[in-house]
Amino acid sequence: MTAMTTDPTSGGSRSMNDAHRVLVLNSGSSSVKYQLLDMRDRSRLATGLVERIGESSSRLVHTPLKGGEPRERTGRIADHEEALKAAAEELAADGLGLDSPELAAIGHRVVHGGLKFSEPTVVTDEVLKEIERLVPVAPLHNPANITGIRTAQALRPDLPQVAVFDTAFHTTMPEHAARYAIDVGTADAHRIRRYGFHGTSHAYVSRRTAELLGRPLSDVNVIVLHLGNGASASAVAGGRCVETSMGLTPLEGLVMGTRSGDIDPAVTFHLKRVAGMSTDEIDVLLNKRSGLVGLCGDNDMREIRRRVDEGDERATLAFDIYIHRLKKYIGAYSAVLGRVDAVVFTAGVGENSAPVREAALAGLEGFGLAVDPDRNAVRSGEPRLISPEDARVAVAVVPTDEELEIAGQTFDLVHN
């Protein structure tokens, strides 16, 4: 079936097959990131960021990627509607306006899709209502995602708006992996279970790893380590997620930049009863004042490694705790998968920190895991193997590309 939409420049209708561009929007509470991609060759035409929306110090940085210099605007941008209109003006200045008949769809990153959304979905009123119903389990993210969708709908009501969910890739987890061991009635009534996040990254990286190994995705078992300021691990069997570290929210799992990761739930009761902390104060503590920043005052791995090299004890302990948690998950997911074909590092820390990769796998030779020091030291934007030639399990670095994944899923949906 060929979708049709209105061409605002001609007043008529056009086939979606004539359109080959996708605008990807990632709307945060006070920011909008955007990328415009040409899906004929999967290239970027422009990228941009609007930050500090609603403040007097708002800033827009727009970068055309096929000629032209980055441009910057400063001054108050009142809301998301004004932010998107400003982005549209910058795109139009490069001949890439949102009124172009070449624009096929707008793809939106939506953090939480619950169990209902396991695939990219064209946004309807009912879809928006369901995303709203999930706000209690994603209070920091889904409201901003909804605002971005509604603003884009107002700008281009004729275009398909597609929601691509962070949680979707993880909906293949079996119930024994997704369920928490609490009262089933309470869990079901309040949608409490492991959902997982960073799904577009885990999907993209696991697929690219199979390509790097020259094997069908269906034949490859991979442990993906998405290590940025937020961090998550997943066990992927034949392209399907069977376990992941983040849970009901992005707080569970690995040690992160400002989040604690795994912690005894009774710590929250203790803090409330003994320290007199409110629920909101505990929330801030675990999400914004914990992890690496809570342990040593820094959440930038480059700075932490500099301090480690200088003998700083707090930084050394923070690094050791971070690595210990990583090793626990690598070992656990090796057991879950039974056979591991590759361990792959991605995102800011995973792609750029050779010391983290080396330390995370040190002592795991019994699992068939090892890092070649020379290969590990190479900096590159390309997918690459960093394990020795004769390694039983491949170790790889695969740069993630969540925007390209969103664009690809969006484009495939509107053309099918």
Side-chain angles (χ1 to χ4, degrees), residues 226-231 251 253-262 284-308 312-326 348-350 353 356:
H226 177 107
L227 308 180
N229 193 50
L251 180 59
L254 302 175
V255 175
M256 303 176 225
T258 65
R259 299 180 196 139
S260 65
D262 293 338
V284 170
L285 171 69
L286 296 181
N287 277 290
K288 297 183 179 179
R289 293 172 44 217
S290 295
L292 293 171
V293 78
L295 288 167
C296 71
D298 274 313
N299 64 333
D300 186 322
M301 185 56 71
R302 293 165 296 187
E303 180 62 16
I304 291 170
R305 282 302 313 174
R306 183 191 66 77
R307 290 171 57 186
V308 169
D312 186 299
E313 292 184 2
R314 284 184 62 194
T316 299
L317 178 60
F319 184 79
D320 289 346
I321 292 171
Y322 182 93
I323 294 300
H324 178 71
R325 188 77 56 83
L326 264 178
V349 174
S353 180
V356 164

Side-chain angles (χ1 to χ4, degrees), residues 26 36 55 73 77 105 122 168 179 189 195 198-200 208 245 290 301 304 309 315 321 335 407-408 416:
N26 183 351
L36 183 66
E55 300 179 20
R73 295 189 188 191
I77 295 176
V122 174
R179 282 273 182 182
Y195 291 101
H198 295 146
T200 51
R208 292 287 283 135
S245 59
S290 295
M301 185 56 71
I304 291 170
D309 292 340
I321 292 171
N416 288 333

Side-chain angles (χ1 to χ4, degrees), residues 62-246:
H62 174 87
T63 305
L65 297 180
K66 293 199 172 181
E69 294 295 321
R71 301 190 294 273
E72 182 174 328
R73 295 189 188 191
T74 56
R76 188 171 190 270
I77 295 176
D79 52 30
H80 284 69
E81 180 178 1
E82 189 174 326
L84 276 183
K85 286 181 177 177
E89 290 171 4
E90 294 297 333
L91 288 165
D94 297 324
L96 303 170
L98 298 191
D99 59 352
S100 169
E102 295 176 288
L103 188 60
I106 299 177
H108 299 265
R109 179 197 181 212
V110 178
V111 167
H112 216 308
L115 291 181
K116 189 176 181 68
F117 301 111
S118 60
E119 298 176 338
T121 304
V122 174
V123 175
T124 63
D125 289 343
E126 184 53 41
V127 168
L128 268 178
K129 288 177 183 176
E130 182 61 24
I131 297 172
E132 286 179 330
R133 282 193 282 267
L134 289 162
V135 165
V137 291
L140 299 178
H141 299 95
N142 275 30
N145 302 153
I146 292 166
T147 298
I149 291 171
R150 286 183 169 149
T151 303
Q153 285 177 323
L155 286 176
R156 283 299 306 268
D158 57 306
L159 273 186
Q161 308 284 333
V162 175
V164 179
F165 300 91
D166 269 15
T167 50
F169 181 67
H170 304 300
T171 58
T172 57
M173 279 190 294
E175 281 293 282
H176 61 257
R179 282 273 182 182
Y180 292 113
I182 66 172
D183 173 69
V184 171
T186 301
D188 288 349
H190 300 286
R191 305 186 187 207
I192 299 172
R193 61 186 290 118
R194 173 170 285 109
Y195 291 101
F197 298 89
H198 295 146
T200 51
S201 177
H202 288 280
Y204 177 85
V205 169
S206 55
R207 188 176 63 252
R208 292 287 283 135
T209 300
E211 293 171 2
L212 180 64
L213 298 178
R215 295 171 59 181
L217 179 61
S218 59
D219 291 345
V220 177
N221 288 358
V222 182
I223 297 173
V224 178
L225 303 172
H226 177 107
L227 308 180
N229 193 50
S232 60
S234 66
V236 184
R240 294 170 60 84
C241 177
V242 296
E243 177 65 283
T244 193
S245 59
M246 286 180 166

Side-chain angles (χ1 to χ4, degrees), residues 263-291:
I263 193 170
D264 181 348
V267 169
T268 60
F269 315 145
H270 180 78
L271 290 172
K272 191 172 182 65
R273 292 169 182 154
V274 177
M277 294 178 69
S278 69
T279 301
D280 287 344
E281 287 172 331
I282 296 170
D283 191 328
V284 170
L285 171 69
L286 296 181
N287 277 290
K288 297 183 179 179
R289 293 172 44 217
S290 295

